[in-house]
Amino acid sequence: MAAKWIEAITGSLEQKKQYRQLKARLDALPEPYGSAAKAMHRYFMYYGGITDGDDLVKMFEDLVELWERAAADGTPVRDIVGPDPVDFAETFAQSYGGTRWIDKERAHLAKAIEDAEGAQER
């Protein structure tokens, strides 16, 4: 009962637990995979903009699994991200179709313009 009340304020406790577990796996990656994965994780915190916790946890889980597999196989970092790591990261993030903060801002902008247009026509 208390957990549901707390989750109403803070968000899913299960997602927070999953995120901490995934972060620990990311921190345990050997170098240079750990540095590359942490750099992508940092970039996603600025670029991703995903507002849905399930989508965010899934994206983070896939990121960790990608780098764990690369480390296990000994795949060179550049072979994973290609010549443009920013393009790779943004393409990776775009495959998670959750609502992004910019979607809300786009809807807010469109509504504000409609309201302004309606006020002008009166």
Side-chain angles (χ1 to χ4, degrees):
M1 177 94 162
K4 287 190 180 231
W5 186 80
I6 292 170
E7 285 185 347
I9 296 171
T10 64
S12 170
L13 296 176
E14 182 59 30
Q15 289 173 349
K16 291 177 180 13
K17 180 179 173 184
Q18 289 174 325
Y19 180 83
R20 283 192 296 273
Q21 290 170 341
L22 290 167
K23 184 75 169 81
R25 287 170 56 190
L26 184 115
D27 290 341
L29 283 168
E31 291 302 324
Y33 304 100
S35 295
K38 288 173 190 165
M40 285 188 67
H41 176 260
R42 177 183 164 87
Y43 188 76
F44 290 152
M45 293 298 107
Y46 290 102
Y47 172 77
I50 295 175
T51 59
D52 181 75
D54 289 333
D55 289 335
L56 186 62
V57 169
K58 179 65 180 150
M59 181 174 76
F60 192 37
E61 181 178 19
D62 290 347
L63 175 72
V64 170
E65 288 177 358
L66 170 73
W67 289 106
E68 285 175 339
R69 272 186 265 136
D73 297 342
T75 307
V77 169
R78 187 59 75 177
D79 287 357
I80 301 295
V81 299
D84 186 353
V86 173
D87 182 55
F88 177 81
E90 291 179 1
T91 301
F92 184 92
Q94 287 172 357
S95 63
Y96 299 88
T99 304
R100 300 174 188 274
W101 67 268
I102 197 66
D103 296 333
K104 293 179 181 178
E105 291 305 315
R106 287 178 179 142
H108 181 77
L109 174 61
K111 175 83 169 82
I113 295 301
E114 279 181 28
D115 292 348
E117 182 181 40
Q120 196 173 34
E121 292 174 357
R122 288 185 217 153

